[in-house]
């Protein structure tokens, strides 16, 4: 399954350039902008984007430091406000006069939660689908519920903390870089995509640069969480066998803060966008259509 694409470069507010790809789709259709996670680049979206482009305009881009996009000179360039400024620059370039629908996975979701909770005007965003990536402020509050949600609630939170060991490992100077270069972390991740027909290439540049996302953002936001209300319609897709983001945190943490929340659990692992592109395309198409999409679901996906 293939579709034609066009590429361009979009300037950021701090002088970098991002590599942006638009999939050929109906020009009058709603636009979906996809934001990838770590340690991926925009190619991770190809199976889903190809299916969605039958009915919608679809745009993907390499987050700064990844793929063919430029990398910032230091850690400050990876902070979430700047990532959101990058997203806004892409949106302004590809859809200056119409709102867009956002679709994000993993670190793409983490950064985009901040966008939909006020870093980008809500009028620019028609809907948001988040997969396997929490809002760090919402997660910080949720994790603090160890002592207030009974034994079952405590178990869920302790399980998530155990599964997030790598988040704290990534704070150690030099250690994660050495683990990537030795091939150890790549072997661990390979288990998560075993059986997938076509796994996008992971470049060492992407994996090393992306570690700065964790160092620039995690501890500050989890340590001093300040969740904000989200008025954009949100769909959370939660893989039930995700070993990095527990279904409990993914589905429970947003509840107090999102005005219009839809939760869908999918029997899948973390990289559901690669394992089940038909299902993801179907869910996204339905949500986009329900929130301003003039066209129907993805037929034949």
């Amino acid at each position: 399954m293939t579709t034609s694409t066009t590429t361009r470069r979009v300037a950021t507010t701090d002088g970098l350039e991002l590599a942006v790809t638009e999939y050929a789709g109906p020009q009058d259709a709603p636009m979906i902008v996809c934001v990838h996670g770590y340690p991926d680049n925009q190619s991770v979206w190809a199976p889903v984007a190809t299916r969605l482009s039958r009915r919608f305009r679809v745009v993907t881009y390499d987050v700064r430091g990844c793929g063919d996009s430029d990398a910032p000179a230091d850690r400050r360039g990876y902070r979430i406000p700047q990532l959101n400024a990058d997203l806004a620059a892409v949106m302004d370039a590809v859809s200056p006069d119409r709102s867009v629908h956002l679709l994000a996975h993993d670190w793409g979701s983490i950064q985009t939660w901040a966008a939909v909770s006020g870093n980008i005007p809500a009028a620019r965003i028609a809907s948001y689908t988040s997969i396997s990536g929490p809002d760090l402020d919402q997660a910080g509050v949720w994790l603090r519920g160890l002592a207030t949600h009974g034994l079952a609630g405590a178990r869920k939170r302790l399980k998530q903390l155990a599964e997030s060991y790598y988040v704290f490992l990534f704070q150690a100077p030099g250690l994660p870089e050495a683990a990537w270069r030795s091939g150890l972390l790549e072997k661990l991740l390979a288990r998560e995509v075993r059986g997938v027909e076509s796994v996008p290439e992971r470049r060492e540049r992407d994996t090393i640069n992306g570690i700065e996302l964790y160092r620039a953002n995690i501890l500050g936001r989890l340590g001093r969480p300040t969740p904000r209300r989200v008025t954009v319609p949100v769909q959370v897709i939660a893989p039930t066998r995700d070993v990095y983001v527990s279904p409990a945190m993914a589905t429970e943490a947003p509840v107090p803060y999102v005005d219009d929340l839809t939760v869908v659990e999918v029997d899948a692992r973390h990289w559901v966008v690669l394992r089940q592109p038909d299902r993801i395309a179907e869910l996204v198409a339905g949500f986009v259509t329900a929130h301003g999409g003039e066209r129907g679901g993805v037929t034949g996906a």
Side-chain angles (χ1 to χ4, degrees):
M1 183 189 304
T2 59
T3 189
S4 61
T5 60
T6 58
T7 60
R8 63 194 298 184
R9 297 189 70 80
V10 171
T12 68
T13 57
D14 60 347
L16 304 184
E17 288 190 345
L18 305 177
V20 179
T21 299
E22 184 165 359
Y23 286 71
Q27 286 303 300
D28 61 339
M31 174 170 283
I32 302 171
V33 175
C34 309
V35 190
H36 70 82
Y38 177 81
D40 301 313
N41 55 52
Q42 64 175 313
S43 65
V44 77
W45 286 117
V48 172
T50 298
R51 288 160 171 79
L52 287 172
S53 66
R54 299 170 182 172
R55 297 284 181 172
F56 305 101
R57 296 173 64 197
V58 182
V59 168
T60 65
Y61 69 99
D62 288 323
V63 173
R64 55 177 48 217
C66 296
D68 294 324
S69 289
D70 295 341
D74 56 42
R75 185 173 302 166
R76 290 174 297 178
Y78 289 97
R79 289 174 180 165
I80 284 177
Q82 181 61 60
L83 298 174
N84 289 170
D86 292 353
L87 172 60
V90 172
M91 291 167 55
D92 289 345
V94 300
S95 185
D97 302 320
R98 296 176 63 184
S99 61
V100 307
H101 300 262
L102 297 180
L103 168 61
H105 175 254
D106 187 83
W107 250 100
S109 288
I110 292 174
Q111 63 150 298
T112 312
W113 273 108
V116 301
S117 63
N119 285 4
I120 292 178
R124 292 286 286 129
I125 305 169
S127 75
Y128 173 45
T129 295
S130 169
I131 308 170
S132 292
D135 176 278
L136 293 179
D137 294 290
Q138 296 172 9
V141 172
W142 184 84
L143 288 168
R144 280 167 165 71
L146 271 171
T148 58
H149 286 80
L151 183 59
R155 284 174 175 167
K156 289 188 290 187
R157 286 158 176 80
L158 288 171
K159 181 175 184 290
Q160 177 61 64
L161 285 170
E163 292 171 342
S164 300
Y165 72 92
Y166 65 95
V167 169
F168 305 101
L169 172 70
F170 279 9
Q171 307 302 316
L175 182 60
E177 288 90 341
W180 273 116
R181 292 188 174 110
S182 72
L184 175 61
L185 291 183
E186 184 61 39
K187 289 178 181 178
L188 293 174
L189 286 179
R191 294 186 300 183
E192 290 299 304
V193 293
R194 187 174 296 150
V196 175
E197 289 185 8
S198 179
V199 179
E201 177 188 4
R202 289 186 173 125
R203 309 177 190 177
E204 182 176 290
R205 173 182 183 266
D206 299 354
T207 60
I208 299 301
N209 286 343
I211 293 169
E212 297 299 337
L213 293 167
Y214 294 85
R215 293 171 174 162
N217 298 291
I218 291 287
L219 296 184
R221 286 182 176 265
L222 288 181
R224 298 180 298 277
T226 54
R228 296 178 292 180
R229 182 146 300 279
V230 178
T231 59
V232 173
V234 175
Q235 174 177 227
V236 169
I237 299 176
T240 58
R241 292 180 285 125
D242 194 327
V243 298
Y244 303 113
V245 181
S246 68
M249 184 171 71
T251 60
E252 295 174 10
V255 170
Y257 310 105
V258 181
D259 291 350
D260 183 351
L261 177 64
T262 299
V263 171
V264 182
E265 294 191 355
V266 178
D267 182 17
R269 300 177 74 87
H270 182 78
W271 271 277
V272 63
V273 296
L274 291 174
R275 289 188 176 277
Q276 298 185 27
D278 293 344
R279 179 62 171 147
I280 296 304
E282 176 188 17
L283 289 170
V284 173
F287 198 67
V288 168
T289 301
H291 294 88
E294 295 86 359
R295 298 172 184 272
V298 179
T299 59

